[in-house]
Amino acid sequence: MDNRQEVREFLTTRRARITPDQAGLPTSGSRRVPGLRRSEVATLAGLSVEYYARLERGQIAGASAGVLDGLARALQLDETEHAHLLHLARAADGIPTSARARRRPPSRATSRPSLHWTLEAITDAVAFVRDPHQNLLATNTLGRAFYTPVTGDPQQPREQSPGRPPNLARFQFLDPASRDFYPDWDTFAEMCVANMRTEAGRDPHDRGLQDLVGELSTRSDTFRRLWAAHDVRTHGAGTKRFHHPVVGELTLAYEELAITAEPGLALYIYTAEPGSPSHDRLRLLASWAASNPTATTSTTTP
């Protein structure tokens, strides 16, 4: 990915979304474009107009922490956006992954038996391991039942070639079944792309992620539009709605847990509020999985 272009488009899209009123500036005269003018951002950030113009052209190499912090304040960046700007600056300085441990290939990262024992020990919740490319690398039994809309028939997995794990981004944008599985499809799509944008900023030389972005940009107009928005986010925790073909609607809370031994991978756990209809349906799905073992045959990396 072209670092200068990434910086230029990130800064211009952030500038365009801030109105003078939001920035506490007086409004005067007509504006040809939405958002703040370059001169206004420069003033708010404590920079000269000439220097800010250089930054917005993508010439961010060598920018100090104080300059980047000033930009973050002027553009009202949230924590994830601020971190993304820092990652872009590190990449421009030639140190895109200086603070990150080296990642191992997914097939090696998920080969430890203890990781699979841990997943299978979680029996009342959906649990799975996901990588920065949105690949489902490993799941527990309930997770395999939950994600049958993504993986499809174990003998004919969706949108994947032999040896390639199921991919949530390909499912989201290339498989019509995703619109049934995700009642809030538009929200899921925005979250998916924003997460991928965040990962691209952390490691702009990740060839696998570049290839995935290229594939989805070619095949999905919606992905291409969302990718151009340069929005970023991190998962963390929250609530999502699903519509499972076996048990119907589920409202599940999720938690993201970093796997310290495997940099870049995360363990996700989806649970339902105790006593809620979703909790009952999740238990029903577990019973269905127990009585249909062939339907939950693992299609993830062993």
Side-chain angles (χ1 to χ4, degrees):
M1 298 181 184
D2 185 330
N3 179 261
R4 285 196 175 191
Q5 180 179 345
E6 292 294 310
V7 172
R8 182 169 60 251
E9 293 179 356
F10 181 68
L11 291 179
T12 55
T13 55
R14 298 315 91 177
R15 177 164 64 88
R17 71 179 185 175
I18 304 296
T19 66
D21 285 342
Q22 290 172 323
L25 297 174
T27 57
S28 59
S30 61
R31 290 175 177 260
R32 291 179 297 173
V33 294
L36 299 177
R37 299 187 176 103
R38 285 181 176 178
S39 59
E40 292 169 332
V41 175
T43 298
L44 291 168
L47 307 173
S48 69
V49 177
E50 293 77 13
Y51 185 48
Y52 177 72
R54 283 178 51 200
L55 294 174
E56 199 173 274
R57 287 196 296 269
Q59 299 175 33
I60 202 172
S64 68
V67 166
L68 298 175
D69 289 346
L71 280 180
R73 288 193 300 272
L75 296 172
Q76 301 182 17
L77 303 185
D78 62 24
E79 185 176 342
T80 301
E81 291 169 327
H82 192 175
H84 184 66
L85 180 62
L86 295 177
H87 290 140
L88 292 176
R90 290 195 191 102
D93 289 334
I95 49 174
T97 57
S98 60
R100 305 190 71 183
R102 180 172 296 179
R103 294 173 179 171
R104 291 190 286 174
S107 58
R108 290 178 55 195
T110 57
S111 63
R112 288 184 294 109
S114 59
L115 179 57
H116 292 270
W117 298 339
T118 299
L119 285 169
E120 292 301 341
I122 302 172
T123 57
D124 294 329
V126 172
F128 61 95
V129 175
R130 201 200 72 186
D131 71 5
H133 301 171
Q134 302 286 316
N135 289 318
L136 280 174
L137 299 182
T139 59
N140 65 350
T141 299
L142 184 54
R144 289 191 289 277
F146 179 74
Y147 275 118
T148 50
V150 179
T151 60
D153 186 323
Q155 302 306 315
Q156 296 179 330
R158 298 180 187 272
E159 283 297 334
Q160 65 176 28
S161 59
R164 187 166 73 175
N167 183 276
L168 293 174
R170 288 192 184 93
F171 174 71
Q172 174 80 51
F173 292 100
L174 305 181
D175 195 327
S178 68
R179 292 188 177 272
D180 294 325
F181 189 49
Y182 302 139
D184 304 311
W185 191 91
D186 290 338
T187 298
F188 271 70
E190 292 170 0
M191 292 170 64
C192 179
V193 175
N195 277 309
M196 292 174 65
R197 262 287 176 203
T198 302
E199 291 297 337
R202 288 173 179 166
D203 190 354
H205 304 298
D206 186 330
R207 181 58 182 272
L209 185 57
Q210 290 179 19
D211 290 345
L212 178 61
V213 169
E215 175 189 352
L216 296 178
S217 296
T218 300
R219 302 177 63 184
S220 170
D221 292 339
T222 302
F223 178 88
R224 187 164 57 251
R225 174 178 57 79
L226 292 174
W227 187 255
H230 285 264
D231 291 330
V232 292
R233 76 180 301 277
T234 51
H235 244 298
T239 303
K240 296 180 179 179
R241 289 197 309 139
F242 303 88
H243 189 276
H244 196 276
V246 174
V247 297
E249 186 165 313
L250 294 163
T251 299
L252 303 177
Y254 65 88
E255 295 284 342
E256 176 187 358
L257 308 173
I259 302 178
T260 305
E262 310 294 350
L265 302 190
L267 170 64
Y268 295 84
I269 301 177
Y270 286 7
T271 56
E273 180 182 354
S276 67
S278 292
H279 183 255
D280 294 338
R281 291 169 187 153
L282 203 57
R283 294 181 66 181
L284 179 61
L285 183 61
S287 299
W288 177 83
S291 60
N292 292 272
T294 59
T296 56
T297 300
S298 176
T299 58
T300 52
T301 304

